[in-house]
């Protein structure tokens, strides 16, 4: 069955912890199957600039535990032009590369889809994003680490909130997806969570804060997704300060600390499994799919389906948040 | 539908990180539903010694992030005698307690099963064990934290192994279950993993070490489940030293550090969800089941079924270990 | 010599990790010497509102490892009025409290100084601040933890900076003191550090960035003290973006995560030693001093001297920063 | 003044976190002064086997935060023979290396001393050991990280001790030095500490345990230095179990997790400062000394004086331990 001899791997979009574990798995699984595995630096940009190099087993030694990505990543507008993709194709073709593993988010899959439709390079996507907003998989590489980083940070903020009887409004990443906010909020016992996917409004939050104040509950943590229409933590804080000027309100924007750091066990295992499955898929002749894990089994989703849909958040979680934060 | 007015909660068996989050969820969900919630100290022992007290919302403030269990835990041989259980029943009955939530492992469920068969106190089990060896649930409270603790420790050991070109044999907990060893081994890129559920033998490991030595691969980490018949890390090291005396072999037994510590995000969320579901089940009249999460949905398993079976480990993981550690 | 029978302890100003360890040490050392030890809630405010309670050995069990402060802290403008201090005095006097241990920063010592000058309550100050900007001591309680928290965060940001070839401008706390910025910058290999105590200017930084760009060094971390006149990280970023528009520049304001968290070993030991020394001083009749550690020995500084001076930063550190970041 | 053109650096003895930061500082400070800096692999062994290579600024990029040592380390008995040292000399001489920086413990300094007495290669020692048992410096590279690692582990064990009302006997590293045990014991509120430098005996500990049992204090943590004559944790546990059979006694040997891991802020800064000072000393013509930090200033100690003496432990610390653990 196996006809593939040369494959390449790249990381694209925002970096996510576990990307290195995925690269390691692709490289070593490839070598195990006697493939030549090429690394591409700086995502799609490296395809265009011919920043491509052969990788060995040693190239990926001791990286499973590292944050970031040894292959680096970058934006590359040219790849979204046909001429760019053609240049990319030529650089792959001259090395006889017959399969490309793209570790990244939906934007990156979008590019891979276009590329594979135009040229005969099968692409396999691995969902690497801390936002967890990709259809066709229960987990994405990086989410578990990022949410644990956010939780550790919020735990620290709670120490201070408790010491001072304060309200903290904490913004977490996730672009327009609320998973990071939801999970980190539940795990830290946040008094409220504001995410794009749910109907809690700024007015609801202000009502709750006023109710809490009446019953002398002064310590409050509110976790907000950066992409919420209220304008993130600063937007919400502005509204809260207008309506509850007597509260001691502070804002924390966790920011980029959520991207880096040594990946969690779950992300390392997930990335290892997905990287292994990506090579397996190429060998099996399965093309232009994203590797997902659904109910603890490998699942293939066509790259264009991985692009569009989003997971849904069960509304019962909001009931749980309310009850448990009481 | 609701006829329950008073419930109690206890933690039993070895402590596991996330037990406090589960207690918190039981207490607050109970109070939300206008129940009186009693805490029982020291597991079943507190039932016998009448160490039972009413809990309020504040009793569980700021414990979601704490390791250990505020309700403490203990062994209680008397509860495994009929007289002991009768005393327990009387202490519950005099407070009109109509439901008991038991957070613990299979041994604890065993006790709960007997108790509920003899007396009219419905029991709900929550799987709280770092060993993850319970049927009817994909995850147990404490496993994710324990495995991350083990992984952080092994990452540190790898620093030293690399610096010295050494072989480290590392023993992790799990009694006769190999999940902790398997997951921590994969996540740290261990060269070999020795668990009761799999056919890798001590001889296989020695062969691999000798092969690695021939190709000058001197840094080796082997993760062993404490319950492996080789006799844990010390047993394995003895055999290795006999056969490979020239290797610089060190043993680390991670031990009790794997039990404590602030629970991971996943364990906090899992425990919160399960605690919430436990009260829900009692209110719904669902009795004598363990709450599990299967494919991200709440699942009920009769307590006697939760006792016996074990999850299975997919043999493909061992192929992945071999390929990725290469 | 000992005539003291009753003492009180409070935490004041911004919370700092290790305050709980100091409270524990004061309470247990007092009890060991057969004193009654009172806790005062919410800093000086509790003195005025009579929020004062007797503490036992158990009151401080298991808090040495906790961030925040179990005695809470608050601003109290009234204490800076004579009437406020008189009320405070009356509340202490009615319990025959003959000594007050104040854990806080220079503002808090200022208040203690005024108080002890007007009323016969000897005060002992313990330097509890993450800013480390207090004369008379080599270390302050909380600094080591805060700087380690900042370093862990910046390490994560470096992962992302490396992955993307980016410039990150990172703001750390410290008000108008640069210790947190200096230490966290050196420890993370920051390319530049901007602090109020030193002559590096925004123009210097821009020149360096342009020089780095010319030699293709695109990953740059700059750590800025929040109190720098450039206007913190946002102020600096604005200037950098004007002058180096082609750089991919991101801002991170670490904020309140630097205050909380489990104290480091050094902070726990420092706080334990200082709390022990504070009671010792009261028993020895040493009054109105701050306890410091200078060259690893306990040193007393009159409270009014602890207020004014600042430690000096050796300019050689800036040479080291430059050389090592190269 | 400067006549040196070529220097070399190696790490020797047990690895310690911060060694990489020291290597980085030596390399970059050397390059800043236009020196050629050579790295020697595997400590003294690399000198003999000619495993020596030129280093550049990039060779030490992104290692300040890594545990272990990129130069690796090893035992080398041959270097303790004259012939071995002669071979080492020849390999240095053929590269015109005029100065050698040795990062290690007292055993390594011993070797360096002999070497520099016989051959004209000036040596500078940097104290790199988690044991902190070297005269002429207040701190050694690695101690602060190791003690924080031990403290984090013991904090976790306390969670379990509390949950179960247990006695834990915990063994920490340090060979025949008690600093790690003393500091980690104070910082975790250990009930007792057993170290070679102090007069507390096993009988004292048993008496204390019996007294604690009488007053129902069942949670006890005892920290033991591995080099205590009682035979470490296992030796002590044997004696305790004989005398106090009713206690639920568990043993934890923290072991090699104390060596690795990302260095703490203090160790990174210490190592950076010492590496910088080492090159400075060679340029200044200061030879055959260990770089220490005493009262926050660089101090030089002749290598043979760094070998013999040990720091002293103030007995007052034991009084503090007793009082605070009460």
């Amino acid at each position: 069955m196996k006809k593939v001899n040369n494959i390449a791997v790249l990381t694209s979009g925002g970096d996510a912890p576990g990307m290195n574990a995925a690269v390691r798995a692709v490289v070593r699984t490839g070598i195990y199957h006697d493939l030549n595995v090429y690394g591409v630096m700086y995502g799609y940009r490296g395809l265009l600039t011919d920043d491509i190099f052969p990788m060995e087993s040693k190239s990926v030694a001791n990286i499973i535990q590292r944050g970031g990505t040894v292959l680096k990543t970058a934006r590359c507008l040219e790849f979204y032009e046909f001429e760019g993709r053609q240049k990319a194709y030529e650089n792959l073709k001259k090395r006889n590369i017959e399969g490309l593993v793209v570790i990244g988010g939906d934007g990156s899959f979008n590019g891979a889809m276009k590329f594979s439709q135009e040229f005969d390079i099968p692409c396999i996507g691995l969902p690497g994003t801390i936002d967890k907003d990709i259809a066709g998989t229960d987990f994405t590489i990086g989410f578990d680490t990022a949410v644990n980083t956010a939780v550790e940070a919020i735990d620290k903020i709670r120490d201070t909130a408790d010491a001072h009887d304060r309200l903290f409004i904490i913004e977490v990443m996730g672009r327009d997806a609320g998973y990071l906010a939801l999970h980190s909020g539940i795990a830290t016992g946040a008094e409220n969570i504001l995410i794009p996917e749910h109907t809690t409004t700024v007015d609801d939050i202000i009502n709750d804060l006023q109710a809490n104040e009446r019953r002398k509950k002064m310590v409050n943590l509110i976790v907000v997704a950066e992409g919420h229409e209220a304008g993130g933590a600063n937007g919400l804080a502005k509204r809260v300060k207008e309506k509850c000027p007597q509260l001691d309100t502070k804002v924390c924007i966790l920011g980029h600390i959520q991207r880096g750091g040594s990946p969690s066990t779950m992300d390392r295992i997930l990335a290892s499994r997905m990287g292994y499955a990506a090579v397996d898929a190429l060998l099996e002749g399965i093309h232009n799919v994203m590797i997902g894990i659904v109910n603890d089994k490998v699942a293939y989703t066509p790259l264009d389906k991985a692009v569009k849909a989003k997971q849904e958040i069960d509304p019962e979680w909001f009931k749980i948040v309310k009850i448990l934060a009481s």
Side-chain angles (χ1 to χ4, degrees), chain A:
Chain A
M1 165 181 47
K2 179 201 136 181
K3 298 198 191 142
V4 185
N5 290 301
N6 304 289
I7 64 172
V9 57
L10 60 80
T11 53
S12 174
D15 64 321
M19 281 186 163
N20 281 327
V23 171
R24 171 181 178 266
V26 170
V27 171
R28 293 198 168 167
T29 307
I31 288 170
Y32 172 81
H33 289 295
D34 293 323
L35 307 183
N36 299 308
V37 185
Y38 291 88
V40 182
M41 296 300 292
Y42 294 104
Y44 292 130
R45 192 212 285 169
L47 287 184
L48 276 74
T49 60
D50 206 23
D51 200 349
I52 302 174
F53 65 105
M55 298 186 83
E56 295 166 51
S57 190
K58 273 192 188 169
S59 319
V60 292
N62 241 340
I63 66 168
I64 192 173
Q65 76 274 41
R66 304 273 180 247
T69 160
V70 295
L71 294 181
K72 299 209 175 208
T73 178
R75 304 233 167 150
C76 179
L77 294 177
E78 284 175 278
F79 190 74
Y80 291 85
E81 309 289 327
F82 179 79
E83 290 72 23
R85 291 192 293 276
Q86 192 159 35
K87 221 189 297 177
Y89 174 72
E90 284 155 17
N91 287 325
L92 289 170
K93 215 56 210 171
K94 75 181 180 196
R95 290 177 181 85
N96 293 315
I97 290 170
E98 301 141 296
L100 176 66
V101 180
V102 172
I103 309 168
D106 56 354
S108 309
F109 297 159
N110 202 345
M113 194 65 208
K114 281 215 184 92
F115 187 53
S116 65
Q117 283 166 342
E118 295 165 348
F119 301 97
D120 62 333
I121 304 281
C123 292
I124 301 288
L126 298 190
T129 162
I130 64 169
D131 301 338
K132 196 173 110 78
D133 57 346
I134 294 187
T137 188
D138 293 344
F139 305 102
T140 60
I141 297 168
F143 175 75
D144 187 61
T145 307
V147 78
N148 275 294
T149 299
V151 163
E152 279 175 38
I154 300 173
D155 280 352
K156 287 177 181 160
I157 292 168
R158 185 172 282 281
D159 284 345
T160 291
D162 270 336
H164 288 266
D165 275 3
R166 251 181 207 155
L167 163 63
F168 272 95
I169 299 177
I170 299 155
E171 181 179 310
V172 301
M173 281 189 160
R175 292 181 302 169
D176 53 348
Y179 299 99
L180 269 173
L182 179 72
H183 286 239
S184 61
I186 296 169
T188 54
E191 275 70 18
N192 251 313
I193 298 173
L194 197 62
I195 64 174
E197 294 89 340
H198 192 253
T199 56
T200 300
T201 65
V202 174
D203 285 336
D204 295 335
I205 284 181
I206 286 168
N207 288 339
D208 283 351
L209 285 171
Q210 288 169 338
N212 284 350
E213 201 181 345
R214 282 190 294 272
R215 57 184 183 111
K216 308 279 179 215
K217 177 168 171 49
M218 307 303 287
V219 180
N220 288 284
L221 296 188
I222 300 173
V223 178
V224 193
E226 61 178 353
H228 191 275
E229 57 169 17
N234 281 321
L236 177 59
K238 190 160 172 289
R239 294 281 301 281
V240 167
K241 283 175 184 174
E242 281 164 22
K243 298 284 184 178
C244 314
Q246 71 295 354
L247 290 181
D248 183 6
T249 304
K250 300 276 178 192
V251 166
C252 284
I253 297 173
L254 296 188
H256 278 83
I257 61 167
Q258 296 164 84
R259 288 213 166 279
S262 181
S264 72
T265 302
M266 178 187 270
D267 277 330
R268 297 184 195 188
I269 293 178
L270 182 71
S272 298
R273 189 179 187 184
M274 286 179 163
Y276 169 86
V279 176
D280 224 45
L282 285 172
L283 293 175
E284 297 280 346
I286 299 168
H287 293 164
N288 305 326
V289 296
M290 183 195 76
I291 305 288
I293 301 294
V294 176
N295 293 343
D296 203 30
K297 290 197 171 21
V298 170
Y300 305 114
T301 302
L303 278 175
D304 54 346
K305 293 283 171 20
V307 172
K308 284 174 209 141
K310 304 241 168 188
Q311 293 179 45
E312 266 182 40
I313 293 178
D314 185 334
E316 189 160 33
W317 281 113
F318 287 87
K319 197 175 160 194
I320 295 180
V321 167
K322 278 291 175 163
I323 291 175
L324 299 194
S326 67

